[in-house]
Amino acid sequence: MTSALVDQLRADLGAAHYSVSALTGLWGREADAALRRNQRVPAQRALDALRVRLGRAESSATLAQLFVLGLPVSRADLAAALPRLGVVGAQALGLVADEAPADAPGTAAPAGAPATETGTGPGGPGTPEAAALLRPLIELRPYSFVDEHGAGSWWIASDLGELALGRALGETHVLGVGGASLTLSGLLIPARVATALDLGTGCGIQAMHAARHADRVVATDISVRALELAAFNAELNGIPNIEFRLGSLFEPVAGERFDHIISNPPFVITPRTEGVPSYEYRDGGMVGDALVEAVVRGAAEHLTPGGIAQLLGNWEYRTDQDAFSRLDHWLDSPDAPAAPAPAPALDAWIIEREVQSPALYAETWIRDGGTRPGTADFDRLYGAWLDDFEARDVSQVGFGYMLLRRPARAETALRRLERLPGALGHNPAGIGSHLAACLAAHDKTAAMDDARLARTRLTVASDVTEERHYWPGQEDPTLMTLHQGGGFGRSVSLDTALAALVGACDGDLDVGSIVSALAELLDADEGDLAAELLPSVRGLIGDGFLLPPA
Ligand SMILES: C[S@@+](CC[C@H](N)C(=O)[O-])C[C@H]1O[C@@H](n2cnc3c(N)ncnc32)[C@H](O)[C@@H]1O
């Protein structure tokens, strides 16, 4: 019964061209940008104007008004927008409910708009029943993406946001696709695997992405409602290879291992104080960053050898301890107390993207919960956050990406913790392939001694450019920098020898021959020059500037 309704909904949404680009076409880029700031007035005005111009409601506009802007629409308009599913079907799926007239937070049509001609609801066109309003019970937004497998578009259901509710979110709110979701989905390594786990699936977005490269995906959450919405989203978008399981952290997958673990966990650090709201979607209910630590420690015993976990996280800097030394400790002793056998230390590549002071962190997350600055509540919560941070001597909070790997071979062990604030490179299909290529390059060079590296022929990656600065009138550059166009958009300063070596890496000569020629040219000792250059060459390979042969 439900599946038949979902089939009808899918057919209706497709026929209505309910897509990201169609909505931008309806209301324009400025309204899109305003919506990202949680402001719907520009989009609403554009839809009102369109309706007046056309003399009727466009199906995609009706759906957008209801499911994106969170405003009611008339029964007749919805019946026209969802001709197969119908209003009764939409109600049965829990998408809409009758709007009590006095509760209406907005209007379905601008004043003076013509009565709809397309009503097929009970009572027929133009009747009071057809004009009765329906309000949304969920958000249902089109979502589009490009990944290594190509372009795709889905529809994603989630709980109503602040706009539609007209108040702060509830503590059990199921979030739609947000900024952090996009960050993580853009990091996913697209390599074909047998099994993947999405821990804390929410609306299911990461599991759906994982289902493009994994034969079988398990998606977990502590929220029954999240799992229901995620299962609905998978079915609506015709994704059959996800299994949904209820439970906390790794409980639902005890004893199982996965090739790819993905998690955008509820990493927000929240005081465990009476009267401080605890939102399921962002707060794991533990003290400080203990939830992120639990995910990291649990990953080791749930990854297959060589398997990779990719997470987002927050981590605390304590006055007497750098966050990276705390992270190192999580990685070195990854066994959960209940682990049946000791797991090896994890390989890790952790990239910190930003740090915030306790005050800024508190302000960010109190506002995110819908409490406005300048109110007594805001000040009370602010105090609770600062008390909580002070209790653990927290000086800063870091945010970033974690890539963990259950080591397949001891000689390719990786432990790389780095701070990379600022813009990434240009990666239209996400950065996952770059991460995979860097890992593969690391493994290759880690297994090579210097003599083998010297026998390797390298090429310069196609996204790499060199910038040179000269003092006026001078022939030799004073500053040379290598820039990476994609990936992390890294820049590396070059000295004369390294610049010359990189310039000669066209796949013809091996590294040793280039160093030898340079030593002669620069009148330097070949051994000394090799000892100086080879570590830099390893670094440039590991960061994707120089490519070893395939
Ligand atoms: C930040 S949301 C991420 C949702 C989605 N994966 C995404 O990327 O947009 C975190 C999710 O973790 C769930 N969650 C909270 N505590 C959890 C726990 N202890 N174990 C598993 N999931 C949990 C929440 O219900 C929520 O759906």
Side-chain angles (χ1 to χ4, degrees), residues 175-178 180-181 184 198-206 220-223 226 247-249 264-266 280-284 291:
L175 206 60
V177 179
S181 323
L184 182 58
D198 174 20
L199 192 155
T201 197
C203 66
I205 188 67
Q206 309 301 341
T220 68
D221 208 288
I222 47 157
S223 157
S248 179
L249 292 168
N264 171 10
E280 247 169 22
Y281 69 85
R282 60 174 225 201
D283 169 17
L291 184 120

Side-chain angles (χ1 to χ4, degrees), residues 247-485:
S248 179
L249 292 168
F250 292 95
E251 275 166 21
V253 292
E256 290 176 62
R257 291 185 187 277
F258 298 87
D259 303 316
H260 198 179
I261 296 177
I262 298 154
S263 187
N264 171 10
F267 56 73
V268 176
I269 297 166
T270 307
R272 311 257 67 89
T273 315
E274 184 95 20
V276 175
S278 162
Y279 299 98
E280 247 169 22
Y281 69 85
R282 60 174 225 201
D283 169 17
M286 294 189 186
V287 173
D289 51 19
L291 184 120
V292 178
E293 178 180 354
V295 178
V296 170
R297 288 181 185 274
E301 56 175 306
H302 291 283
L303 284 172
T304 52
I308 286 176
Q310 293 187 272
L311 345 163
L312 301 181
N314 270 161
W315 37 82
E316 292 183 343
Y317 286 70
R318 310 261 165 92
T319 304
D320 57 352
Q321 206 181 16
D322 186 279
F324 280 6
S325 66
R326 299 184 60 240
L327 295 177
D328 242 338
H329 183 63
W330 299 353
L331 298 161
D332 278 332
S333 46
D335 292 320
L346 286 167
D347 282 353
W349 183 6
I350 294 176
I351 294 162
E352 183 176 84
R353 295 283 293 144
E354 64 173 290
V355 286
Q356 284 190 332
S357 67
L360 192 55
Y361 190 87
E363 289 164 29
T364 304
W365 292 109
I366 298 167
R367 253 199 226 104
D368 173 85
T371 308
R372 302 209 191 291
T375 62
D377 239 11
F378 190 93
D379 292 352
R380 178 181 62 79
L381 292 173
Y382 207 152
W385 244 277
L386 295 184
D387 283 348
D388 180 54
F389 283 134
E390 275 169 25
R392 291 185 303 283
D393 269 340
V394 175
S395 54
Q396 291 188 104
V397 179
F399 163 81
Y401 320 150
M402 308 179 99
L403 189 158
L404 315 174
R405 182 171 64 171
R406 190 180 166 102
R409 289 183 300 154
E411 70 269 25
T412 58
L414 170 70
R415 187 61 60 88
R416 182 172 183 182
L417 288 82
E418 58 182 332
R419 299 183 166 92
L420 276 180
L424 302 180
H426 180 60
N427 300 286
I431 202 168
S433 294
H434 177 74
L435 295 176
C438 291
L439 277 183
H442 160 82
D443 291 349
K444 205 168 218 171
T445 52
M448 276 183 192
D449 59 14
D450 279 355
R452 243 187 95 198
L453 180 60
R455 291 196 300 274
T456 307
R457 291 158 202 247
L458 301 171
T459 49
V460 180
S462 59
D463 64 337
V464 170
T465 51
E466 191 192 79
E467 185 184 14
R468 292 180 175 223
H469 291 266
Y470 296 80
W471 289 117
Q474 298 285 312
E475 262 184 30
D476 294 328
T478 50
L479 202 65
M480 289 177 285
T481 314
L482 221 46
H483 294 293
Q484 180 174 53

Side-chain angles (χ1 to χ4, degrees), residues 455-459 504-511 513-514:
R455 291 196 300 274
T456 307
R457 291 158 202 247
L458 301 171
T459 49
C505 282
D506 58 4
D508 276 348
L509 290 176
D510 64 31
V511 173
S513 307
I514 298 173

Side-chain angles (χ1 to χ4, degrees), residues 115-201:
T116 178
E117 296 293 323
T118 52
T120 55
T127 65
E129 262 189 278
L133 295 181
L134 293 163
R135 68 188 164 89
L137 293 179
I138 58 161
E139 276 186 6
L140 181 60
R141 291 172 178 253
Y143 167 77
S144 65
F145 58 89
V146 181
D147 63 17
E148 288 300 324
H149 310 285
S153 59
W154 292 325
W155 300 286
I156 303 292
S158 61
D159 273 336
L160 292 175
E162 276 176 57
L163 270 182
L165 292 171
R167 59 173 161 78
L169 304 178
E171 288 180 288
T172 58
H173 177 81
V174 179
L175 206 60
V177 179
S181 323
L182 296 176
T183 298
L184 182 58
S185 63
L187 293 172
L188 298 186
I189 290 185
R192 193 81 230 157
V193 292
T195 54
L197 167 68
D198 174 20
L199 192 155
T201 197

